[in-house]
């Protein structure tokens, strides 16, 4: 069963300068599951997510204590190349952020940099990724057009396809639907549930109902601490901790 | 907008799962009634014991369906049609579980009856059982097909059962008054009849909920005669 | 109703004020032409533009401004060649690579330097660069194309750098994050995502830098050497149009042919920069309309 | 293994690119820094109270540069008086009132074109209109008007930008409170745009103070010892003074120190003014949170 | 976080309304049982009729509470504690309504019994009624106070009732066998007893739901003996 | 009963240039009710809202057909001053938009321009408005400080207080919580329910659950048409129109 836990954090602390944004987070993320991280603004859920593929490296004056094990190896070990980590652990952001390039170029951006040059392979990859992201039918005839012309929901699915094209093991999602309307949101939620058969997904959401709908596991964060982490069904029907229950039932603060 | 409904979502599949489980539970209770009737007619204690044992599965389903429903309420927060479906499912589930219990009750009486000689040939009881069974089937069909009319027909069948039950009661009372030795057996048969009547009640309860699910109108405290004709017509234009 | 009336009145008055700019532009055209057109009674337009002899004070005078146009063109081109890479790369440095304290100082300093009066650069070119060039390359004069181009470049770089830095800074952080998240290195992110995304802003910066160079007077007046001939080497002197106007206007008798010819040169310069600006406007507009999505 | 070498190749390219970028940044710093340092070092020795307060003497080979400083101040003040009201009102019209239409597009293109006109052409225009046509002659008025027109597009642009930077939501909020459009502009839009407008204007002043070409034909005197008594007098101006000393004087080498001193004063003046604008802007940016 | 719970929100007030209605309905059913027992003992047909008429109010409350619950499910989409509360409320409501119906059943038997001479002095029946009533009260108290232990105590009381019912049944059977003239009356009393037993069943059902509400554990198909001691202890730390 | 309908729209059509954004909208808005307008993006709900206090006047190239009756008078009649209309019908926007002034000045901005000058009256008004918006206790000691220092949720309540200070009859709210976190959202929702005893509230929201939670009446819009308009409870338990049901149950598109 050891194998099933793709990512493990061990007593992770995270500091912005002297401010401790995360306190002693120890969490296991299981393969082929959707794990949701919820909690009020500033609870550290996004910070944790960005720490899992070293996106926090880009912010000055931060540092990490503890270990983040990805397939058993600490990604914060000195000999680990963060570029390599990010290739294995993809990320989708809050706002759809396609590059101002064609749909095709958006998807091949990562693979090309990683050395994939063969046009036929690239085309196959584009189709496969777009199909996985349930976008192929909508864009197959306009692959050469700018990604900026797509609707918000389509852009976000394109971003998912772009991440999938790197064939990552894990997909991190940082409030991927908070900028979308309900219909696009529903599509992305369906997609996430489809994707979990092939990927391990960790999603931050401030929409509790979304966590309820799509996740298998839910972790509730408050003030940088992991308050409760358990099966989503349990969290939403009979959480163990009162703080969790107060938060999800809206009796908080 | 018509015709663009998406291929079944995970949510819809979960709703379907509940429906399937309910139908399975319904089939089990029907079978239980069938078996218990047969055990009565054939004086087969084995069959009766089978019914009693079989109830565990119905109870298991009861728990499972209820958990599924609460899970869906908690995680999917259904509204409108879906919410009516879930509340209906919870109620139907409760009714089916009770029907299973009644079947067990009957089976226990049958076991007792099998210990003693048969009082009289059973004519009305199998008819009652048959009606009760067809009420269950009808109400579940109505549930699956979301047919208000069919549910209404089931609701009206309840009075037939009531009549039969009363008839049996009076007949048995006569037996008892005439011959004190029949009292014990007559009481047992009375209980069988009473249980069948209650099964029919539950079937009507299921039909009531189907009417609610389809129309959104609560008819539980309203007798089928009252204005059932209108209930189904108030349903809105579909699409 | 009085409120409505007042609003309408205010609106009208404001509109009149806004029209002043147009009025001025019209006046500029009018007066340039009023004072410049008379020269074409003396020479034809073709002769004026393409004539390779500029001897306005000779007798008979020659009013061919082709050497002036070539001079303008050459110093502008060379200064652009120097200024664009330096300006853009230093913009990249400031916005993407420099440590935060450097960034915080460099940005306003660059902006400050964009406001450096051109006469200062002209002076520097004259006093420092020219003697150095003369000595080092053993030239008859240090006041030549190279000197003017370098000084013009130095003048244009802060402008280019500052506008380009704005454009780079305006590239949404989301693009950068997306690129990093896809396993790109920092330089790949800069070259393949950030710079292309800022391309419209960068090209505006370049065009504006060029426009500034072509219209610049004092630098070329002071360091280009002033030879109104078509140059044969980079170390030759030239006499770009603005220099010619600035230098000769003082000496040209009022409403003389020379005077009119200088105004006509002004017309050419004006039209040239006008064209430049319209192109810049078009480019930045086109990029904006398509959401810079056609890269 | 192949992947590893490919990573190494990618990091090599990264190193080369960053080297290039750093080099250009260094070159730029060296060139401009050296230039400023050179001027500073050479000019500092000349600066004295007399240098700043006395008029030039002995064919400008001795004495101070007071008339030039004053002239520049007069010219720029005049330019601001012309350009500021005109520019702000135009910008308000363009951002707040103008509806999209051909007329507005014409105005906008006009402003853009005006911004791109070379300063020498403004000089010619000033000469043609103010000096010759209106017969003001070469004087403060002509120069100030010319410079004012020169910086008008800068001020319109800066003001427009500042006005656009005022969030649309502020206007909506004000209008939704039953406040008229004019009041909204006066109470909400202009106060919030003011820092931006000021910054733009001050940068405009810096530009006006440093301009040489436009004043050459319209206002600047080669030499005049007397101070102007009216706006119809000629004045000296710092940039022109430098140009004159450096190129047209008879004692170019002898007046070198004076040239450096004048340059330093001009640079100090212009950059000082610009610095004020930049400081104002950065504090404003830090303070506001929208 | 403790102590900062806000003054009651509109949502919480709606939840409270449901609770109030349930308690009101509970009080009505208790009263009905009390009245119907009194009517039996005092042979007061008026009181019995009062019980029958009073059921309309319980039915009305049943409908109202159910509507409130579905309304809340639709509009507030409760989860966790609140969802358990609502599902519990729906179930309790159903039980109370059924209890009301049983009381009516009993009242109808009482009316029939009042037509004929009293068979014997009632000793066990009032005791049953009292236990049933205290089970209802106990389960509702447990509901209000969210006390798992109390609910468990109610669940254990059910066996007492079952024993009494069986005792009454045997006693009446003796009467019937001895004297055929008692059969009619004995049957009526049997039905009264049976109904009381079912009332107790429903009260136990309420207690089951309270256990679920408090602990999140479903004990419906689990007998109180089984491991009820642990159920309440599994409850998490409060706060 | 006629009196109860504060705002009535009669066959309102709205055009952006030639595009018809609203088609034949006839709706009555009742006094002291919260009416929610829901529907997918671009369905016209926000357009309708902005039409009710003539905020759409600010957009070039639009025009309105039909009548919008406010207290029986068509607000689009030529003799009506839109400034007057907006004074009676307040509005709260999607993003909190306090002015960069002090809290006190924010609230007194409108009343002062409307002619209220007395300091004591103004102070009373500020307290009253802030109390109504349940913000008084949080800001009573910092009335002189900039409104920009408040949190997002506080800013939005300040905007509500600012609108209330004009003593409007109707309060229009355009997705007032879409930029806020769940906790601030919950507070605003409570507030809206409190306010309806004194005001008529019309709210646009793309969060259906929000409409469910806070509104008495709900109108569902699709493609510029009012599909169904009825009591919220009815809409969310048994809507009459299939389109409505499909939308609210997420089976749409």
């Amino acid at each position: 069963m050891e194998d099933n836990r793709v990512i493990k954090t061990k007593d992770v602390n995270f500091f912005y300068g002297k401010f401790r944004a995360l306190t002693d987070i120890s969490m296991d993320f299981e393969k082929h599951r959707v794990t949701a991280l919820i909690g009020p603004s500033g609870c550290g859920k996004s910070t944790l997510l960005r720490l899992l593929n070293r996106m926090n490296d880009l912010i000055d004056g931060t540092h990490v204590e503890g270990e983040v094990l990805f397939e058993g190896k600490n990604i914060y070990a000195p000999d680990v190349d963060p570029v390599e980590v990010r290739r294995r652990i993809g990320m989708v952001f809050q706002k759809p952020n396609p590059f101002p390039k064609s749909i095709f170029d958006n998807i091949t951006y990562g693979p090309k940099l990683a050395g994939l040059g063969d046009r036929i392979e690239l085309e196959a990859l584009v189709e496969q990724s777009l199909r996985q992201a349930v976008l192929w039918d909508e864009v197959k005839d306009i692959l050469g057009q700018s990604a900026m012309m797509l609707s918000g929901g389509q852009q976000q699915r394109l971003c998912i396809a772009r991440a999938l094209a790197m064939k990552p093991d894990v997909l991190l999602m940082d409030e991927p639907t908070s900028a979308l309307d309900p219909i696009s949101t529903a599509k992305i939620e369906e997609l996430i549930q489809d994707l979990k058969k092939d990927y391990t997904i960790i999603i931050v959401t401030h929409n509790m109902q979304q966590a309820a709908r799509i996740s298998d596991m839910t972790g509730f964060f408050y003030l940088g601490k992991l308050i409760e982490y358990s099966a989503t069904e349990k969290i939403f029907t009979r959480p163990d901790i009162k703080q969790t229950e107060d938060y999800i039932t809206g009796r908080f603060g | 907008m018509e015709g663009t409904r998406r291929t079944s979502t995970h949510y819809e599949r979960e709703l379907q799962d509940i429906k399937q489980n309910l139908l399975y539970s319904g089939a089990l209770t029907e079978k239980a009634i069938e078996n218990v009737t047969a055990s009565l007619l054939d004086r087969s204690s084995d069959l009766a014991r089978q019914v009693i044992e079989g109830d565990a599965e119905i109870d298991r389903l009861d728990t499972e369906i209820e958990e599924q429903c609460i899970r869906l309420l908690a995680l999917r927060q259904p509204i409108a049609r879906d919410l009516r479906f879930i509340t209906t499912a919870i109620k139907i589930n409760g009714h089916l579980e009770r029907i299973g219990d009644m079947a067990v009750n009957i089976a226990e009486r049958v076991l007792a009856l099998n210990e003693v000689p048969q009082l009289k040939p059973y004519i009305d009881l199998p008819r009652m059982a048959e009606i009760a069974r067809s009420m269950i089937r009808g109400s579940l069909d109505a549930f699956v097909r979301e047919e208000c009319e069919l549910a209404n027909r089931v609701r009206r069948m309840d009075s037939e059962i009531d009549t039969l039950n009363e008839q049996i009661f009076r007949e048995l009372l006569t037996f008892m008054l005439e011959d004190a030795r029949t009292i014990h057996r007559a009481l047992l048969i009375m209980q069988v009849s009473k249980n069948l009547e209650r099964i029919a009640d539950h079937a009507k309860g299921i039909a009531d909920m189907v009417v609610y699910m389809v129309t959104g109108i609560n008819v539980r405290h309203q007798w089928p005669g009252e204005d059932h004709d209108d209930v189904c017509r108030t349903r809105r234009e579909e699409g | 109703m009085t409120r409505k009336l007042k609003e309408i009145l205010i609106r009208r008055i404001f509109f009149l004020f806004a029209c002043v700019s147009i009025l001025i532009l019209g006046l500029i055209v009018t007066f340039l032409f009023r004072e410049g057109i008379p020269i074409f009674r003396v020479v034809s337009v073709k002769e004026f533009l393409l004539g390779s002899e500029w001897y306005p004070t000779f007798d008979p005078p020659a009013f061919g401004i082709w050497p002036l146009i070539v001079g303008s063109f050459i110093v502008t081109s060379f200064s652009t060649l120097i200024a664009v890479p330096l300006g853009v790369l230093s913009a990249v440095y400031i916005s993407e690579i420099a440590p935060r304290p450097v960034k915080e100082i460099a940005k306003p300093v660059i902006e400050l330097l964009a406001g450096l009066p051109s006469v200062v650069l002209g002076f520097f070119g004259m006093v420092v660069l020219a003697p150095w060039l003369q000595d080092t390359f053993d030239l008859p004069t240090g006041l030549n194309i190279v000197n003017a181009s370098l000084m013009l470049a130095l003048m244009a770089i802060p402008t280019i750098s500052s506008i380009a830095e704005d454009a780079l800074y305006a590239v949404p952080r989301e693009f950068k994050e997306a690129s990093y998240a896809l396993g790109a290195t920092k330089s790949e992110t800069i070259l393949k995502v950030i710079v292309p995304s800022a391309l419209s802003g960068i090209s505006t910066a370049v065009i504006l830098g060029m426009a500034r160079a072509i219209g610049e007077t004092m630098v070329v007046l002071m360091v280009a050497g002033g030879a109104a001939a078509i140059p044969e080497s980079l170390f030759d002197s030239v006499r770009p149009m603005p220099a010619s106007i600035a230098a000769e206007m003082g000496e040209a008798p009022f409403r003389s042919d020379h005077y009119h010819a200088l105004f006509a040169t002004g017309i050419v310069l004006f039209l040239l920069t006008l064209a430049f600006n319209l192109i810049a406007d078009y480019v930045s507009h086109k990029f904006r309309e398509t959401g810079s999505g056609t890269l | 293994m192949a992947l590893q070498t490919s990573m190494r190749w990618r990091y090599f390219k990264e190193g080369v690119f960053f080297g290039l970028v750093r080099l250009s940044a260094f070159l730029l710093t060296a060139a401009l820094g050296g230039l400023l340092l050179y001027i500073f070092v050479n000019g500092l020795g000349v600066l004295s109270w007399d240098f700043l307060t006395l008029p030039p003497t002995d064919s400008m080979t001795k004495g101070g540069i007071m008339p030039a400083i004053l002239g520049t101040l007069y010219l720029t003040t005049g330019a601001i008086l012309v350009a500021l009201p005109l520019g702000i009102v135009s910008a308000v019209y363009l951002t707040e009132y103008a509806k999209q239409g051909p007329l507005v597009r014409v105005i906008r293109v006009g402003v853009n074109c005006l911004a791109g006109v070379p300063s020498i052409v403004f000089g010619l225009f000033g000469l043609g209109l103010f000096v010759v046509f209106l017969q003001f002659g070469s004087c403060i008025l002509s120069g100030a008007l010319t410079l004012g027109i020169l910086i008008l597009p800068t001020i319109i642009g800066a003001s427009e930008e500042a006005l656009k930077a005022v969030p649309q939501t502020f206007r909506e909020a004000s209008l939704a409170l039953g406040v008229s459009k004019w009041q909204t502009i006066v109470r909400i839009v202009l106060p919030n745009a003011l820092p931006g407008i000021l910054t733009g204007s001050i940068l405009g002043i810096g530009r006006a103070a440093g301009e040489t070409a436009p004043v050459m034909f319209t206002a600047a005197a080669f030499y005049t010892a007397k101070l102007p008594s009216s706006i119809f007098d000629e004045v000296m101006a710092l940039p022109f003074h430098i140009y004159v000393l450096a190129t047209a004087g008879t004692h170019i080498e002898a007046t070198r120190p004076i040239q450096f001193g004048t340059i330093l004063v001009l640079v100090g003046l212009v950059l000082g003014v610009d610095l004020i604008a930049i400081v104002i802007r950065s504090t404003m940016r830090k303070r506001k949170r929208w």
Side-chain angles (χ1 to χ4, degrees), chain D residues 137-159:
Chain D
S138 178
C139 64
I140 295 178
L141 182 62
S142 302
L145 284 171
T146 309
L147 281 181
I149 288 168
L150 175 87
I151 61 171
L152 181 61
T154 314
I155 288 176
I156 293 178
S159 304

Side-chain angles (χ1 to χ4, degrees), chain C residues 77-232:
Chain C
S77 308
F78 276 99
S79 67
T80 306
L81 279 181
I82 300 162
V84 168
L86 276 177
V88 173
L89 285 178
S90 51
V92 167
Y93 178 77
I94 294 170
S95 93
E96 301 299 326
I97 298 174
R100 195 204 290 265
V102 174
K103 192 181 292 191
E104 273 170 7
I105 294 170
K107 175 69 184 156
V109 165
I110 290 276
E111 215 170 340
L112 267 184
L113 291 175
L116 206 59
S118 53
V119 70
V120 175
L121 287 159
F123 177 76
F124 186 81
M126 250 177 89
V127 177
V128 180
L129 193 57
W132 183 79
L133 281 173
Q134 200 171 355
D135 290 351
T136 312
F137 297 98
D138 195 19
L139 303 170
T141 172
L143 303 177
N144 52 28
I145 295 174
V146 171
N147 193 339
S149 301
L150 279 173
M151 283 301 118
L152 277 182
L154 215 49
M155 189 201 68
I157 284 174
T159 309
I160 293 175
S161 187
S162 178
I163 300 175
E165 202 273 339
D166 284 343
L168 290 170
Y169 184 78
V171 172
R173 206 170 58 109
E174 285 86 15
F175 288 173
K176 276 181 237 181
E177 287 189 330
S179 175
Y180 285 124
L182 288 168
T185 63
K186 189 165 186 168
S187 61
E188 286 161 351
T189 302
I190 292 171
L191 286 172
K192 307 220 176 206
V193 173
I194 299 175
V195 171
S197 301
L199 213 52
S200 89
I202 293 175
S203 37
T204 309
V206 169
I207 294 172
L208 286 181
M210 285 174 76
R212 206 176 156 195
I214 203 170
E216 172 50 37
T217 312
M218 295 319 288
V219 169
V220 291
L221 178 61
M222 292 166 86
V223 299
I230 293 173
E232 281 159 8

Side-chain angles (χ1 to χ4, degrees), chain D residues 29-254:
Chain D
T29 317
L32 288 167
L35 187 150
L36 287 180
L37 194 70
Y38 184 82
I39 288 167
F40 187 75
V41 166
N42 283 291
L44 199 60
V46 190
L47 283 193
S48 67
W49 182 246
D50 286 352
F51 184 70
L52 294 177
T53 54
L54 292 177
T57 50
D58 296 357
S59 315
M60 298 192 288
T61 56
K62 292 213 172 66
I65 53 166
M66 202 265 283
I69 297 175
L70 270 186
T72 292
L73 288 183
Y74 288 143
L75 287 172
T76 42
T77 311
I80 279 296
L81 288 179
V82 172
L84 203 55
L86 210 58
I88 293 176
V89 171
S90 301
V92 167
Y93 179 78
L94 286 174
T95 51
E96 305 298 320
Y97 285 103
K99 290 189 176 168
Q100 286 309 316
L103 195 61
V104 171
R105 204 171 310 143
V106 167
I107 294 179
R108 242 176 244 287
V109 171
V111 173
N112 277 351
C113 290
L114 211 54
V117 172
S119 54
I120 187 79
V121 174
F122 278 108
L124 288 178
F125 164 67
L127 175 65
L129 178 62
F130 304 122
V131 179
V132 175
F133 184 74
L134 297 175
Q135 299 188 336
F136 294 160
S138 178
C139 64
I140 295 178
L141 182 62
S142 302
L145 284 171
T146 309
L147 281 181
I149 288 168
L150 175 87
I151 61 171
L152 181 61
T154 314
I155 288 176
I156 293 178
S159 304
E160 254 199 288
E161 210 140 291
L163 289 166
K164 277 186 196 156
V166 176
Q168 188 61 24
T169 58
F170 285 8
R171 298 182 180 85
E172 284 187 338
S174 175
L175 291 169
L177 287 167
V179 172
S180 69
K181 185 160 192 163
W182 170 239
Q183 281 176 318
T184 299
I185 290 169
V186 172
R187 302 281 179 142
I188 295 293
V189 180
L190 279 178
N192 282 303
L194 211 56
I197 292 175
L198 276 184
T199 325
S201 311
I202 296 174
L203 288 174
I205 296 174
R207 191 172 168 206
E211 276 297 348
T212 316
V215 296
M216 276 166 98
F217 313 145
T218 54
F222 183 76
Y223 170 71
T224 160
K226 75 172 174 80
L227 296 178
S229 56
S230 85
I231 54 169
F232 292 103
D233 284 344
E234 268 194 316
V235 285
M236 292 178 72
L238 282 172
F240 187 58
H241 190 57
I242 294 166
Y243 169 67
V244 166
L245 290 183
T247 59
T250 40
H251 314 282
I252 295 175
E253 289 305 322

Side-chain angles (χ1 to χ4, degrees), chain B:
Chain B
M1 206 150 38
E2 289 83 338
T4 63
R5 172 119 22 130
R6 272 176 306 138
T7 52
S8 89
T9 61
H10 291 82
Y11 177 30
E12 275 175 342
R13 259 172 273 154
E14 285 173 322
L15 289 170
Q16 285 305 319
D17 282 353
I18 291 177
K19 201 176 234 180
Q20 290 311 322
N21 267 342
L22 274 178
L23 292 181
Y24 178 43
S25 177
L28 288 181
T29 55
E30 271 188 65
K31 190 74 196 164
I33 294 168
E34 205 182 302
N35 282 344
V36 88
T37 316
S39 75
L40 177 72
L41 298 179
D42 307 348
R43 298 177 65 78
S44 157
S45 294
D46 279 354
L47 210 48
R49 266 188 291 272
Q50 217 171 295
V51 170
I52 293 170
E53 279 154 25
D55 192 47
E57 175 72 356
I58 297 177
D59 283 354
R60 192 192 60 73
L61 274 171
D62 169 50
T63 309
E64 185 180 325
I65 293 168
E66 182 146 318
E67 270 168 14
Q68 283 179 312
C69 289
I70 290 178
R71 192 189 129 89
L72 239 69
L73 283 174
L75 303 187
R76 297 295 190 163
Q77 302 165 341
I79 41 180
R81 182 200 305 163
D82 301 330
L83 178 60
R84 294 200 308 273
F85 172 81
I86 298 276
T87 48
T88 303
I90 290 177
K91 293 274 177 166
I92 291 179
N93 185 43
H95 287 304
L96 289 175
E97 191 265 343
R98 299 297 291 162
I99 291 174
D101 286 353
M102 315 270 118
V104 169
N105 272 342
I106 296 175
E108 280 163 0
R109 305 294 169 260
V110 168
L111 285 179
L113 281 169
N114 284 354
E115 303 287 310
V116 290
Q118 186 156 352
L119 181 64
K120 65 175 258 294
Y122 305 121
I123 300 157
D124 287 337
L125 276 184
R127 262 188 67 201
M128 266 182 93
E130 186 46 38
I131 295 174
R133 214 168 60 88
S134 75
M135 281 176 75
I136 297 174
R137 158 146 310 167
S139 61
L140 288 176
D141 279 354
F143 171 65
V144 171
R145 291 190 247 140
E146 306 191 6
E147 276 187 21
C148 182
E149 290 294 354
L150 180 54
N152 246 338
R153 239 175 291 141
V154 170
R155 295 176 69 227
R156 267 168 283 169
M157 283 161 81
D158 193 38
S159 59
E160 259 183 86
I161 291 260
D162 287 349
T163 318
L164 279 172
N165 181 38
E166 215 165 308
Q167 207 168 301
I168 290 171
F169 183 84
R170 261 192 245 117
E171 195 187 341
L172 290 168
L173 199 57
T174 327
F175 271 95
M176 287 159 91
L177 288 170
E178 279 171 7
D179 181 355
R181 282 168 306 169
T182 64
I183 287 180
H184 183 59
R185 279 169 289 169
L187 275 178
L188 288 172
I189 297 170
M190 263 182 196
Q191 286 166 346
V192 170
S193 167
K194 180 69 191 167
N195 272 308
L196 284 173
E197 189 259 348
R198 281 170 65 196
I199 287 176
D201 266 2
H202 284 293
K204 174 175 169 291
I206 295 177
D208 286 349
M209 287 312 297
V210 172
V211 172
Y212 166 75
M213 182 178 81
V214 179
T215 64
I217 296 167
N218 187 340
V219 290
R220 272 184 304 130
H221 295 296
Q222 178 183 321
W223 294 107
E226 278 174 27
D227 47 347
H228 61 273
D229 287 339
D230 302 349
V231 163
C232 296
R233 300 229 183 89
T234 56
R235 184 54 182 158
R236 66 281 177 83
E237 289 303 295
E238 280 284 346

